[in-house]
Amino acid sequence: MTALVRAELLKLCWTRATWAFVAAALALAVLRIGLILAGVGTIGSAGRGSADLALAVLGASQSGVLVIALLGVVVVTREFHSATWTSTLLVTPNRARVLIAKLLAAGLAGIVVGVLLFAVGACLGVLFGGVRLTMSPALLQLVVGGLVYAACWGWFGAAIGALIRNQTVALLVPPVWMLVETLLPSYGLHRLVPFTPSGTSSALAGGDLAGALPAWGAVLVLAGYGLAMSVAAVRRTERSDVG
């Protein structure tokens, strides 16, 4: 399994689309961070050099999580889009092992991109916002929770790609999913928000969300989403035609 995961990560490194997605994630993060830093000193904003500003900047750096999900989708759908799925199975006939390797690779890629986004956020904060990166329980929870969330969205994206396979359609699912989450309170479904990926993300990062789950509960909910989609994806992969 280790060799299969390593092979999937190498494929990601040598695929130009991967770097396009990473660039897009960085652009989104820089834009969001720039808006926060531009507001420093205004009424209601976090003070320059304050702990609140550090949390705000690092939290904003994770706005690229949508792109991580899209990258996860491509990890799987590129095989069908480029018609390389058959040749992949000729090398490793066990479909479940191949798919699990892709899911793990997508999760690891999510962590790597998440670390990169945090690093960019920290650098921009220090250079332009006077952010002081003093380790604290809140900052540690934000970083660890953000990386767990990034890994999960990479995982989710790969599972979505395995379930849908059509790359164009699969790439539409993560943004639509996130849009639906934001609309839930407008339709009186605010009680569902803590159980959505966005709600669990807030809980993991230590956000002040009404009805937020404890961190361990948020991890269990995210794992439940991922396992349910992964089991369905494996079943579909094993039962579908190769071509």
Side-chain angles (χ1 to χ4, degrees), residues 4-22:
L4 288 176
V5 174
R6 187 184 302 116
E8 292 299 329
L9 292 174
L10 285 174
K11 288 180 185 178
L12 275 176
C13 290
W14 289 102
T15 302
R16 279 183 289 182
T18 299
W19 302 108
F21 280 119
V22 172

Side-chain angles (χ1 to χ4, degrees), residues 25-109:
L26 290 173
L28 286 174
V30 169
L31 177 61
R32 183 78 180 274
I33 293 169
L35 292 174
I36 291 176
L37 294 179
V40 172
T42 61
I43 297 176
S45 66
R48 186 178 180 83
S50 66
D52 287 341
L53 181 60
L55 293 174
V57 168
L58 291 183
S61 69
Q62 293 303 288
S63 57
V65 72
L66 170 60
V67 182
I68 292 175
L70 299 180
L71 178 59
V73 169
V74 173
V75 168
V76 177
T77 57
R78 69 178 176 208
E79 296 276 13
F80 306 103
H81 185 73
S82 303
T84 58
W85 180 239
T86 301
S87 59
T88 297
L89 293 182
L90 287 175
V91 177
T92 309
N94 190 318
R95 300 185 188 188
R97 283 175 60 84
V98 172
L99 180 57
I100 291 172
K102 290 181 180 295
L103 296 175
L104 290 173
L108 290 173

Side-chain angles (χ1 to χ4, degrees), residues 65-66 68-77 99 102-108 110 148-164 170 173-174 177-178 181 195-198 200-201 204 218-230 233:
V65 72
L66 170 60
I68 292 175
L70 299 180
L71 178 59
V73 169
V74 173
V75 168
V76 177
T77 57
L99 180 57
K102 290 181 180 295
L103 296 175
L104 290 173
L108 290 173
V148 171
Y149 187 58
C152 286
W153 263 112
W155 177 17
F156 296 168
I160 291 168
L163 285 169
I164 298 176
V173 174
W177 184 346
M178 293 183 179
E181 289 182 8
F195 299 95
T196 64
S198 294
T200 53
S201 170
L204 285 174
V219 171
L220 289 178
V221 170
L222 287 173
Y225 281 125
L227 289 174
M229 289 191 293
S230 297

Side-chain angles (χ1 to χ4, degrees), residues 129-193:
V131 170
R132 298 174 183 174
L133 297 176
T134 304
M135 186 53 65
S136 65
L139 186 61
L140 180 62
Q141 183 175 0
L142 173 64
V143 173
V144 173
L147 294 180
V148 171
Y149 187 58
C152 286
W153 263 112
W155 177 17
F156 296 168
I160 291 168
L163 285 169
I164 298 176
R165 294 197 172 186
N166 182 293
Q167 191 170 76
T168 302
V169 176
L171 286 172
L172 291 174
V173 174
V176 171
W177 184 346
M178 293 183 179
L179 176 62
V180 170
E181 289 182 8
T182 63
L183 294 176
L184 288 177
S186 301
Y187 291 92
L189 300 174
H190 55 277
R191 293 183 179 179
L192 297 179
V193 172

